[in-house]
Amino acid sequence: MDVYEAVTSRRAVRGFTDRPVPREVLERVLSAAAWAPSGSNLQPWRTYVLTGGPLAELKKRAGKRVVAGDPWDEREYEMYPPVLKSPYRERRSRFGKERYSALGVSREDWEARQRAASDNWQAFGAPAALFCYIDRDLGRPQWADVGMYLQTVMLLLRAEGLHSCPQMAWSVYRKTVAEILSPPDELILFCGMSIGFEDVTVDYVRTGRAPLDETVTFIEGPVLQSHAE
Ligand SMILES: Cc1cc2nc3c(=O)[nH]c(=O)nc-3n(C[C@H](O)[C@H](O)[C@H](O)COP(=O)(O)O)c2cc1C
């Protein structure tokens, strides 16, 4: 698969079949993703991969918390600023509309929206998931490195015929995730990622993107001649 095809065919898939993902495929993808760049080659990602019984147990425990209406774990990082300014506010609201219209859920139907959101903690039915942590002593540039790494993982998954959904949602139940993974205290859970084969019967609306001139500025002109005097 060519890189453009991997990039454009990757999307956040929110419905997977239970077809297992072979361990050797996950190892191949994660070994290749380790070539992602990072400042001074710190490689600040720390990844746990869950399948089988341990993933089923996590889904069970998270599902219980959802049903019990448990409060979310206290935040170790904020997913978004408390007040989103323009144009991010509008983009977020457009995304919400796209996502819930695909599910046939209205804006006012809070319960149905909650039900849809709760699929996050069933990994959207995926048979594999990864959880990506970062050392709490590292800073913003290293978080950006982790983002590049995760995108590399997602593109390589496409090359294997697999799909994924990155999920910050797991961070709100980070203590339940930690019960299963036992990560060292110095790590913060950035996000989870559901991995598997797409359930093509699940409807979705392809998310749009801002026009290029909203996010990219070209500054160009003729090369200036230096005048020897
Ligand atoms: C870091 C990160 C965290 C995300 N967390 C969630 C999540 O918790 N649940 C979810 O359904 N989608 C999540 N997404 C998916 C985004 O909603 C999605 O990438 C965005 O709307 C663009 O859509 P696309 O990926 O299908 O092109 C996350 C994406 C990223 C990059």
Side-chain angles (χ1 to χ4, degrees), residues 72-113:
W72 290 353
D73 297 331
E74 68 274 19
R75 313 286 319 142
E76 291 201 291
Y77 71 90
E78 292 305 325
M79 287 194 216
Y80 304 99
V83 179
L84 261 190
K85 64 183 188 183
S86 189
Y88 314 110
R89 186 178 53 239
E90 292 81 3
R91 287 182 193 159
R92 183 191 216 177
S93 124
R94 192 170 315 127
F95 161 67
K97 275 189 204 137
E98 284 167 352
R99 167 133 166 69
Y100 292 105
S101 77
L103 297 168
V105 170
S106 77
R107 222 180 153 62
E108 296 70 37
D109 193 345
W110 189 83
E111 263 182 34
R113 289 172 78 115

Side-chain angles (χ1 to χ4, degrees), residues 32-82:
W35 290 101
S38 56
S40 292
N41 202 21
L42 294 193
Q43 305 161 71
W45 42 85
R46 184 70 187 87
T47 303
Y48 292 78
V49 183
L50 269 187
T51 54
L55 179 57
E57 182 60 25
L58 174 61
K59 291 179 186 177
K60 192 169 110 192
R61 292 189 196 188
K64 274 191 188 155
R65 288 189 67 176
V66 172
V67 170
D70 259 18
W72 290 353
D73 297 331
E74 68 274 19
R75 313 286 319 142
E76 291 201 291
Y77 71 90
E78 292 305 325
M79 287 194 216
Y80 304 99

Side-chain angles (χ1 to χ4, degrees), residues 10-14 79-80 95 98-99 120 124 150 154 165-170 190-192 205-209:
R10 186 220 55 81
R11 57 189 172 79
V13 163
R14 300 187 178 88
M79 287 194 216
Y80 304 99
F95 161 67
E98 284 167 352
R99 167 133 166 69
N120 266 293
F124 300 110
L150 290 171
M154 292 188 281
C165 184
Q167 296 171 267
M168 286 192 284
W170 279 109
F190 168 41
C191 75
V205 172
R206 188 77 172 96
T207 54
R209 291 296 188 269

